[in-house]
Amino acid sequence: MDFGRPHVHQESIATRSQIRYIPLDQVQSDENATDADKALDRLVVHHANEAARKMLLGPKPEKEENETDSKSQNDIEASIRKWMDTSLYTQRSLPLQSTIQPGDLVVIQISFDNLNFIYAEKNAIFSNRNGHFHHNDFLGKPYGCQIRSRNNKGFGFCYLLKPTPELWIRSLNHRTQIVHELDQSQIIFQLQLRPNQVVVESGTGSAAMSHTFARTLAPAGHLYTFEFNPHRAVTAREEFNRHGLSHLVTVQNVDVCQSGFPGVSHASVDGVFLDLPEPWNAVGHAAYVLKPNARLASYSPCVEQTQRTVAALEAAGFHSMITMEYRLMEHYVDQVTHQSPPFHVKRPCMLDAKYNPTTQPLRANKKRKKRKDYKENDNETEPEESQTKEEEGDAVSSDVPMKEEETVTNSDDGKTRLTPSTDDEETEKKKPSQLMARPFGTMRGHTAFLTFATAGLLPQPKPSHFCNVASPMESAGDDVEETTKEGSS
């Protein structure tokens, strides 16, 4: 991986300035310069040295009452002047590799949620459901390109991605339960880790969290990771060697609950991460190697484990303990077309196409007047219902004003209908769309509790025996048994 490569030193603005310390006895003045001019040159060089020291090393500390002897002071000044040289402050950068070379780790993306990995080798073949992919086609190609299969008429394809800790987590073979990306980000944040620090990890497992630690501590930091299972320890060590991270990570096959952290000195670690079935048994060893005010993180899937760990942390002098649970909910985002709701409220009577509030009373009065005239004339009978409806339809067609851009058409059955305009048809086709999101049915990850604590200022002694902290449930059970014995006696 790129973050494991050594940094390349390049010329920077500081190195081009050529600012450095100049001894006063090496100040050269003109041959014709007077003593006053020579004194002025030495004064200018002296103030230039003081300005360079303040810029590169900060302000000069005040002299204490109990000063050291002149010899020691001169040695200190000599060591300080050694760093007053801008040629030492070059610009460092990572040498990014853009093409695939033999032996490189390549993450193969087959679909959105299907990733795999290979180590590029000559004449090797990677096969999946999309076809056969020859490693010779990978070599020399840039990361991120698309490769077609040699069979299936070239319809199968995959993408070649540059490995990162996040992609490695999604493509590796899980030897144990891993810590996912969301929990990893919180662990790095809560431990307050920075480059060039030292971290201890107990429970290497699939080495998913170890890769994230290595990226954070690069380029000059170090990770000590301990694994109880010998097979998993050997596999993790081989992976770190192939990924170019062996100078950043040290893997040991040790039971930390019994033996602690061998090879790690007292109060020399900036952070400890415990991913163990019984983390409370390793809390005392973690307190011994942690620096004052350093942070500790514990990863446990059960609340009972967390309770016993918190009790052990309190006994070991830790403070500011907090337990949190994180879950990652992914959403599917897409542009959805839908019918927009109406903006005006309509009364139930207005849903009838024949109703018009301006002409409805007029139609009702005409209908009542016609019936009254027929009743007064004995020689004539009341019109049939069908005739009344036809007259009513004529009244509606004549009284209801037509909208603009609407036309009247006569259908085959002889009835008159309103034909909507073409603009309404286009509006019907152009339905509004909106960007919407819905959550996936499953959430990546598993239920786990992260406990964080801060080490105290006092140094902790090295544990000499196996620590066993009783859980709250066990202590409650013991109290009940003692009460029962007293009652029986």
Side-chain angles (χ1 to χ4, degrees), residues 61-264:
E62 298 180 358
K63 294 183 179 180
E64 298 180 358
E65 296 180 359
N66 300 328
E67 283 190 7
T68 58
D69 54 353
S70 59
K71 184 178 180 180
S72 301
Q73 191 68 24
N74 293 335
D75 294 341
I76 295 174
E77 288 294 331
S79 62
I80 290 176
R81 292 167 184 171
K82 181 180 66 174
W83 297 105
M84 294 173 57
D85 189 356
T86 55
S87 62
L88 302 175
Y89 304 99
T90 57
Q91 182 178 353
R92 298 186 299 178
S93 61
L94 282 173
L96 300 180
Q97 182 178 344
S98 58
T99 58
I100 300 173
Q101 303 298 328
D104 289 347
L105 173 65
V106 181
V107 176
I108 298 179
Q109 182 182 15
I110 304 168
S111 62
F112 170 73
D113 55 350
N114 188 0
L115 281 80
N116 208 326
F117 73 94
I118 56 99
Y119 294 99
E121 299 177 359
K122 292 184 178 180
N123 303 326
I125 300 176
F126 172 75
S127 301
N128 59 10
R129 63 183 182 183
N130 293 339
H132 303 300
F133 300 91
H134 292 249
H135 289 200
N136 293 340
D137 298 337
F138 301 168
L139 300 178
K141 295 293 185 359
Y143 286 102
C145 66
Q146 183 189 81
I147 298 295
R148 294 280 178 177
S149 62
R150 292 192 179 183
N151 61 340
N152 296 334
K153 299 181 180 180
F155 288 108
F157 64 90
C158 65
Y159 292 94
L160 309 180
L161 305 181
K162 179 178 288 190
T164 62
E166 290 77 16
L167 294 177
W168 173 248
I169 291 171
R170 297 180 60 182
S171 61
L172 62 84
N173 299 321
H174 293 184
R175 299 183 288 272
T176 58
Q177 197 175 39
I178 67 171
V179 182
H180 288 277
E181 300 94 320
L182 183 61
D183 292 328
Q184 289 185 359
S185 62
Q186 292 298 325
I187 291 170
I188 297 297
F189 175 74
Q190 293 290 342
L191 291 182
Q192 303 174 4
L193 298 181
R194 300 184 300 275
N196 306 332
Q197 289 186 336
V198 180
V199 174
V200 167
E201 177 192 19
S202 179
T204 308
S206 302
M209 189 67 207
S210 303
H211 283 77
T212 304
F213 277 134
R215 181 178 60 181
T216 305
L217 303 177
H222 202 82
L223 171 67
Y224 295 93
T225 179
F226 299 88
E227 174 57 43
F228 173 75
N229 186 281
H231 175 70
R232 290 197 292 262
V234 172
T235 305
R237 189 180 295 109
E238 293 176 354
E239 288 180 351
F240 291 133
N241 292 334
R242 300 194 72 172
H243 300 169
L245 305 177
S246 58
H247 63 288
L248 296 174
V249 183
T250 299
V251 184
Q252 298 187 42
N253 179 24
V254 175
D255 183 8
V256 297
C257 295
Q258 295 286 350
S259 306
F261 305 105
V264 183

Side-chain angles (χ1 to χ4, degrees), residues 280-291:
W280 54 88
N281 292 327
V283 168
H285 300 286
Y288 176 75
V289 299
L290 276 173
K291 295 179 180 179

Side-chain angles (χ1 to χ4, degrees), residues 338-350:
H338 60 90
Q339 182 66 37
S340 61
F343 297 98
H344 303 285
V345 180
K346 294 184 178 180
R347 295 189 296 274
C349 59
M350 295 179 65

